[in-house]
Amino acid sequence: MKAELLTRYKDHTIIDMHSHFLINAFLLNKSFFVRGKTPFFWNPLRNFYDYKRAVEGGVKGITFNIYVPYFPKILGGRMGGVERFVKIFNNIISASEGKIIHCRTAEEVLGCVATHKMAAILAIEGGNIVGENLNNLYKLREYGVRMITLVHFITTHIGDAVFGREIHGGLSGFGKEMVRMMQKLGIIVDLAHATDKAFFDAIRITEAPVVSSHTGVRALKPDDQRGLSDEQLLAIRENNGLAGVIFFPWYLKKMKIFCKLDLVIDHICYIADKIGVDYVGIGSDMDSNIWLPLDFKDASYFPLIPYKLEQRGFRREEIEKIMGLNYLRVLRDCGKDTK
Ligand SMILES: [Zn+2]
């Protein structure tokens, strides 16, 4: 079944807007080119992504997130930690011998798709790595970083996080300045993990599209601020932004440990129904210590998504948008002045 689906959907432009193989490489010294074993359920020592499984799944582009753990001093300061991750990322690119290309623009990604290479896009989870110095954003842009989540698990000097304490009542003054500067530099503002107030603070001052890269919708998991409310979804449409749907069952339905891929599809469909097919994407969050739907075991299972979307009545052009083209639109719109 899987092989048949892969043949059927192999031309689809599948681009994941949020994933974490770099954590595996950093903490466990894993090679991206060795096919890993799929975890049975949850196993932080095993990963879902590697080159072989991604190719098998027809994945054309992967967003690799830098995540500097909360012990930055060991790493030589937060930016020192970023440098170490960038080195790991660059090593993957060079070890691929031309099979994986570090892409900074949507056009470069499309170039990869056309020449059957894999596109790698660099992002950061946790904007606190810039410390107190926004000029570090220039450095990150130089490294080729195209997207940053303003906050992660805890509230920082940038703004309030969903799982953190409410300190600023949204974004801090520094956080607002950071949004402006990121957009000036063509770095996408990622509002996943931000509180509602922080989200709307960013939306109010933004001049370019924003994303929530790995998320679900609150309508299907009520009372959870981590998912996007209808009001937030409408704001994303107004902003010409994008909501990427996460594959983690826990974020998709209350007390849900096990689920089928259909639950992920439900969230995609909800967003498409509510605000249109142009504003929904895929942000798996694989390799960030999450577990996956029972019938989506690793990156090689990606073709199941277009298959299931087709079953729900989406047309090919719409599926292509959801699977990656919407993300490329945002990459393009956020990088207009920076090429
Ligand atoms: Zn996250």
Side-chain angles (χ1 to χ4, degrees):
M1 173 74 167
K2 209 176 97 188
E4 186 210 315
L5 291 182
L6 181 57
T7 319
R8 203 183 323 162
Y9 299 105
K10 73 174 189 305
D11 296 335
H12 279 63
T13 308
I14 299 174
I15 306 171
D16 189 349
M17 58 191 287
H18 191 88
S19 70
H20 277 287
F21 177 80
L22 295 181
I23 295 181
N24 284 263
F26 175 74
L27 293 175
L28 304 172
N29 203 22
K30 292 224 171 174
S31 163
F32 194 59
F33 301 97
V34 174
R35 190 189 175 98
K37 283 195 179 130
T38 298
F40 172 62
F41 168 54
W42 181 75
N43 184 343
L45 300 177
R46 290 193 177 173
N47 53 296
F48 301 112
Y49 254 125
D50 49 56
Y51 181 72
K52 286 180 183 161
R53 284 183 286 178
V55 168
E56 201 178 306
V59 177
K60 308 295 186 296
I62 301 174
T63 307
F64 287 84
N65 268 267
I66 290 172
Y67 167 69
V68 179
Y70 291 105
F71 42 86
K73 286 214 171 102
I74 302 170
L75 301 171
R78 294 197 194 279
M79 284 301 285
V82 172
E83 271 166 40
R84 288 178 63 173
F85 271 87
V86 168
K87 205 175 270 180
I88 292 169
F89 175 79
N90 288 338
N91 285 344
I92 291 174
I93 303 295
S94 51
S96 80
E97 295 173 337
K99 292 205 239 359
I100 307 175
I101 308 289
H102 178 189
C103 295
R104 290 168 168 82
T105 66
E107 277 57 42
E108 287 173 358
V109 175
L110 288 172
C112 281
V113 174
T115 53
H116 306 291
K117 288 171 180 162
M118 187 175 286
I121 299 149
L122 195 54
I124 289 181
E125 179 141 44
N128 56 311
I129 50 87
V130 300
E132 307 286 333
N133 184 1
L134 286 178
N135 284 331
N136 281 327
L137 288 170
Y138 286 98
K139 189 98 199 147
L140 298 178
R141 190 67 181 88
E142 248 169 62
Y143 289 145
V145 170
R146 282 304 315 272
M147 180 159 63
I148 303 176
T149 61
L150 290 182
V151 291
H152 189 220
F153 281 139
I154 59 169
T155 293
T156 66
H157 63 299
I158 293 166
D160 296 337
V162 169
F163 301 136
R165 282 191 304 140
E166 194 178 336
I167 293 175
H168 309 284
L171 288 184
S172 66
F174 181 90
K176 288 176 189 162
E177 212 35 59
M178 184 162 168
V179 168
R180 291 191 189 97
M181 195 152 153
M182 280 169 66
Q183 296 199 325
K184 200 176 108 195
L185 294 174
I187 300 174
I188 299 167
V189 174
D190 185 349
L191 298 172
H193 294 283
T195 61
D196 287 18
K197 283 181 185 163
F199 175 96
F200 284 107
D201 274 354
I203 285 271
R204 267 190 290 274
I205 57 173
T206 195
E207 286 176 1
V210 299
V211 303
S212 183
S213 66
H214 53 304
T215 186
V217 295
R218 210 170 296 172
L220 300 182
K221 192 191 176 203
D223 308 320
D224 182 358
Q225 276 219 341
R226 184 64 182 79
L228 293 169
S229 67
D230 287 356
E231 204 188 347
Q232 285 175 310
L233 289 174
L234 293 168
I236 281 177
R237 179 173 69 186
E238 185 73 17
N239 165 267
N240 209 21
L242 185 59
V245 174
I246 194 170
F247 295 180
F248 185 26
W250 195 254
Y251 280 12
L252 299 174
K253 198 167 184 179
K254 213 168 182 175
M255 302 304 286
K256 201 74 181 165
I257 295 173
F258 301 107
C259 82
K260 294 283 194 71
L261 185 61
D262 282 316
L263 183 58
V264 176
I265 307 294
D266 289 346
H267 282 253
I268 294 173
C269 290
Y270 184 89
I271 299 171
D273 282 350
K274 191 85 199 164
I275 57 172
V277 79
D278 291 326
Y279 309 99
V280 56
I282 299 291
S284 73
D285 204 20
M286 283 196 279
D287 290 345
S288 71
N289 276 335
I290 63 163
W291 60 88
L292 293 175
L294 293 169
D295 50 349
F296 188 100
K297 296 182 192 308
D298 59 32
S300 70
Y301 284 74
F302 262 106
L304 280 175
I305 302 176
Y307 168 66
K308 283 184 179 287
L309 289 173
E310 202 174 82
Q311 283 184 322
R312 301 268 186 123
F314 288 94
R315 297 194 313 272
R316 163 94 194 221
E317 313 86 77
E318 296 172 325
I319 295 171
E320 289 264 25
K321 283 180 175 182
I322 296 167
M323 297 310 296
L325 297 185
N326 287 338
Y327 179 35
L328 294 190
R329 182 201 78 228
V330 173
L331 268 178
R332 198 176 290 122
D333 286 354
C334 286
K336 273 178 187 152
D337 307 320
T338 53
K339 270 179 251 151

